[in-house]
Amino acid sequence: MLKINCSDLPEANRCMLRFFANTQTKEVEKIGYTLRKPQAKSAKLVLSSCCNEVINKMFRQKIETGRIDINTANNDAVDSYRSQENTAGEIEYDRDITNREHAIQAIQKVVARFKYDFAGEFVFPPKAVYNDMVNVEITGSLLDDDIELSAKIPLIDSENVYVFKYSKRYSHSYHAQLGGYRILLQSDGDLKKYKTLNTPISAKTGMQKPVEFYDYGKGDDIYWIAKSTINRIAHYWSALKEQKIDVTEMPANPACVRCSQKYCKAWGTDFCVYHRWEK
């Protein structure tokens, strides 16, 4: 059975080879390909995980106590980044996030923005069921049980399903992730609306950009985007395992910003179409 997390679906639409290399590493190696260990994690990728963790805690606090203490959230930001430092290995900073201090400031700015732009809009459920609303874990089987799709949904209130993003430029590739939530939730007779909230991670001086809201209604369009993505994954994975195709026949994207030896396990190996001879 091929196990896929909804958060990885956008990656499949960017580069199918990197998707398999990074999410199905052991299985790819069993087929006979050699993969590498990425040298670093980008600061923004690490900070996205931190922001999700702190925002989840913030909403749990709001549901339990009726308020959000920004000082607690700021302390959670420091603790979350310290934890990531211990587990992520090397973190590569960039011109937006240049060092550890900038990283923590960036998390705190994003969290404050979510508090002031969004927390007041959140339609809170009864306190007794809050555990079922924040960081919701859900799993389902698709395509005759050939695929197990899972998700950890950041936030569900009484009317909406949310995913949080922190991109400088909002990408429509995120549709597949939200559509994956729609696939998993529809079996429960779900009639909610699907929304993405985005604000860029940056430690630059000045006001943090407001949270942008993207509303997909009942999610019919994103549902079919996710279904199409999953069907493509299943097609290429089956063909690869049965050796009906070579990696040179699979869709790859050398123009992607993460196409490098630092971020991709396939780069410079026999599982890479464009850079297999590079070191």
Side-chain angles (χ1 to χ4, degrees), residues 31-63:
I31 295 172
Y33 292 100
T34 302
L35 298 175
R36 69 189 300 144
K37 184 178 180 180
Q39 297 175 6
K41 276 193 174 182
S42 72
K44 294 225 174 106
L45 193 62
V46 171
L47 294 192
S48 293
S49 298
C50 292
C51 287
N52 272 336
E53 181 181 345
V54 177
I55 290 170
N56 284 336
K57 288 182 178 179
M58 186 172 72
F59 282 111
R60 284 188 185 276
Q61 182 189 47
K62 175 74 172 178
I63 294 167

Side-chain angles (χ1 to χ4, degrees), residues 50-252:
C50 292
C51 287
N52 272 336
E53 181 181 345
V54 177
I55 290 170
N56 284 336
K57 288 182 178 179
M58 186 172 72
F59 282 111
R60 284 188 185 276
Q61 182 189 47
K62 175 74 172 178
I63 294 167
E64 290 180 316
T65 68
R67 61 187 293 272
I68 293 173
D69 180 8
I70 198 64
N71 291 323
T72 299
N74 286 337
N75 290 334
D76 287 340
V78 176
D79 293 341
S80 178
Y81 192 74
R82 185 180 294 133
S83 175
Q84 285 288 333
E85 282 183 313
N86 292 334
T87 59
E90 181 188 349
I91 297 175
E92 183 176 73
Y93 296 103
D94 56 32
R95 58 187 178 185
D96 286 339
I97 311 294
T98 59
N99 55 47
R100 184 180 190 275
E101 182 180 350
H102 278 175
I104 293 172
Q105 288 175 356
I107 301 169
Q108 292 171 340
K109 287 175 68 176
V110 168
V111 169
R113 197 73 259 178
F114 267 82
K115 176 184 187 298
Y116 295 115
D117 286 358
F118 175 58
E121 306 285 332
F122 182 56
V123 184
F124 291 101
K127 180 178 178 181
V129 298
Y130 81 89
N131 278 324
D132 297 325
M133 312 307 282
V134 181
N135 239 13
V136 181
E137 296 189 36
I138 187 168
T139 302
S141 297
L142 306 173
L143 300 179
D144 297 324
D145 294 335
D146 286 339
I147 288 181
E148 179 184 278
L149 185 66
S150 62
K152 187 178 282 187
I153 304 174
L155 188 66
I156 302 176
D157 68 15
S158 57
E159 297 177 0
N160 306 291
V161 177
Y162 297 99
V163 61
F164 304 144
K165 293 296 178 183
Y166 314 98
S167 299
K168 189 177 294 185
R169 295 178 184 84
Y170 182 76
S171 171
H172 294 297
S173 64
Y174 300 144
H175 294 176
Q177 178 179 352
L178 202 56
Y181 297 168
R182 168 75 159 73
I183 290 171
L184 289 171
L185 291 170
Q186 68 167 345
S187 60
D188 298 328
D190 175 66
L191 295 174
K192 296 182 183 297
K193 293 181 180 179
Y194 291 78
K195 297 179 179 180
T196 300
L197 279 61
N198 181 68
T199 188
I201 293 176
S202 176
K204 290 182 177 179
T205 56
M207 184 68 70
Q208 174 75 21
K209 288 187 177 180
V211 175
E212 302 167 320
F213 290 75
Y214 297 87
D215 190 338
Y216 300 101
K218 300 299 182 183
D220 292 336
D221 291 340
I222 56 174
Y223 170 87
W224 289 110
I225 291 171
K227 286 282 281 189
S228 173
T229 302
I230 292 167
N231 286 338
R232 289 175 62 244
I233 291 171
H235 166 74
Y236 283 111
W237 184 246
S238 175
L240 188 66
K241 289 193 71 173
E242 295 172 14
Q243 298 184 334
K244 293 180 180 179
I245 63 172
D246 183 74
V247 291
T248 57
E249 301 173 70
M250 294 180 64

